[in-house]
Amino acid sequence: MPAYKMCCLPGDGIGPEIIAEGKKVLAAVGARFGVDFACEDALIGGAAIDATGEPLPAATLEAAQASDAVLLAAVGGPKWDTTDSSKPRPEQGLLGIRKALGLYTNLRPVQIFAPLAGASTLKPEVIDGVDLMIVRELTGGLYFGARHRYYDEEGAGPDGTPGQRAVDTLEYREYEVERIARQAFEAARRRRGHVTSVDKANVLDTSRMWREVVHRLHDAEYPDVTLDDMLVDNTAMQLINRPAFFDVVVTENMFGDILSDEAAQITGSLGMLASASLGDGVALYEPSHGSAPDIAGKGIANPLAQILSVEMMLRYSFDMGEAADAVHAAVEAVLDEGWRTGDIADASTPTDHVLGTVAMGDKVVERI
Ligand code: IPM
Ligand code: MG
């Protein structure tokens, strides 16, 4: 029987509750398809800061590197919120592991589950046919630029008192743009053959270089893929105006962060958006949402983005397409039958069909 070693990172807030459902689904898949998934938990984020003082302890990174795949839930929360740049933040754990594992490609599929059409704030005719994939560059740009905060005279106000200055640099190298563009073109070939490259080339030099590199690669190796450029502000508008236009959207780290939250709302809830972060080695799978501290511990969080991240793990890390399809079909069936967590329930959902986190996980497991 094939055996895989998973590194599980529950993190903070609703993290422990939703990852438990992800593990349950993985165990059910293992039982049905004859694969042994062994999950070992490690610390990350605020939980790791509390236990060790650091958001990404060395032991966690070692466990991740020694695993076959990493399943992460969410990090962050008000307990660790601070504007003091010298204090550790939970998010540094997440950024640190993305960088250390070289996870430069972040795939965020935005798909409509037909029974949830009513959960979207957009009109049914606008979301009809939406099926897009955001390909977000994940280890460069503003997230990993130089950072400084200091006092100096130029930061002074008109009264001459020294003021602070803060700097974050946005930097990309050609090879970083080329490798993420390649991922986008490859994804497009498996889909509908259309890439929209999103930038801010009317203002930024990084974007001008981005555009050049994307087109050069396209013309040389992917002429069969339709490529268009779109400015990021216009993309923000088009995503809610005509979301079905998009197939693959490729963009830099920060633009991708912002646009993926927006795109999630097309489906009605961020609680439905899974993601895969891929590099050349061990990959990481996590929901695109946060730790939702306001509902943590209440047992009402939507575990489906975590479960759909398990689907992506089966597909990309273990080449278990059939098992991945089974997870997807199980989620579809559960939604078809009318089962909802609070975030995706609408006025037409009977109250006895609104489930908590664990019951929703159980429903999916039953179908598998
Ligand atoms: C995401 C999250 C993270 C990001 C945060 C938690 C650092 O918003 O995965 O989209 O900005 O990348
Ligand atoms: Mg985000």
Side-chain angles (χ1 to χ4, degrees), residues 250-338:
V250 62
T251 192
E252 68 95 36
N253 205 343
M254 174 72 95
F255 296 161
D257 176 46
I258 298 168
L259 293 178
S260 56
D261 269 36
E262 187 191 1
Q265 280 307 318
I266 301 171
T267 69
S269 174
L270 195 51
M272 297 299 298
L273 196 62
S275 94
S277 302
L278 315 172
D280 299 320
V282 180
L284 179 150
Y285 301 84
E286 60 169 322
S288 297
H289 58 68
S291 60
D294 53 321
I295 57 164
K298 295 189 179 158
I300 58 171
N302 183 349
L304 292 178
Q306 182 86 71
I307 290 170
L308 293 168
S309 301
V310 167
E311 176 198 337
M312 294 187 88
M313 170 187 279
L314 293 167
R315 219 178 278 290
Y316 292 102
S317 280
F318 303 131
D319 202 17
M320 293 175 65
E322 201 191 325
D325 290 344
V327 172
H328 197 88
V331 170
E332 266 178 344
V334 167
L335 294 172
D336 270 338
E337 288 160 20

Side-chain angles (χ1 to χ4, degrees), residues 197-217:
S197 171
V198 173
D199 62 37
K200 188 72 185 170
N202 53 348
V203 176
L204 302 174
D205 259 332
T206 44
S207 284
R208 293 179 187 125
M209 182 185 81
W210 178 282
R211 211 176 258 214
E212 269 175 33
V213 174
V214 169
H215 279 267
R216 191 177 64 210
L217 181 66

Side-chain angles (χ1 to χ4, degrees), residues 47-188:
I49 294 175
D50 286 351
T52 70
E54 293 171 59
L56 181 61
T60 297
L61 193 53
E62 278 160 28
Q65 273 156 343
S67 73
D68 294 304
V70 181
L71 186 65
L72 184 143
V75 297
K79 180 174 177 196
W80 307 279
D81 263 344
T82 170
T83 56
D84 181 343
S85 310
S86 66
K87 293 252 168 68
R89 284 198 64 111
E91 292 79 2
Q92 290 164 344
L94 182 55
L95 301 189
I97 197 165
R98 286 174 180 169
K99 192 72 171 181
L101 297 181
L103 308 174
Y104 63 87
T105 304
N106 185 220
L107 304 177
R108 297 187 161 184
V110 178
Q111 50 205 328
I112 301 290
F113 289 90
L116 293 187
S120 174
T121 53
L122 301 180
K123 292 184 187 136
E125 63 268 29
V126 174
I127 61 173
D128 187 36
V130 168
D131 178 9
L132 66 97
M133 170 86 88
I134 296 185
V135 179
R136 170 186 175 194
E137 199 291 325
L138 202 60
T139 52
L142 279 171
Y143 277 67
F144 296 95
R147 261 184 233 313
H148 315 280
R149 254 175 89 173
Y150 50 92
Y151 282 87
D152 76 349
E153 271 116 58
E154 282 184 54
D159 64 353
T161 27
Q164 287 187 75
R165 188 199 289 232
V167 181
D168 294 285
T169 57
L170 169 48
E171 190 173 329
Y172 269 105
R173 289 168 184 74
E174 274 190 71
Y175 81 89
E176 294 174 306
V177 178
E178 189 176 310
R179 67 184 180 180
I180 192 71
R182 183 178 297 286
Q183 295 300 322
F185 290 130
E186 291 291 336

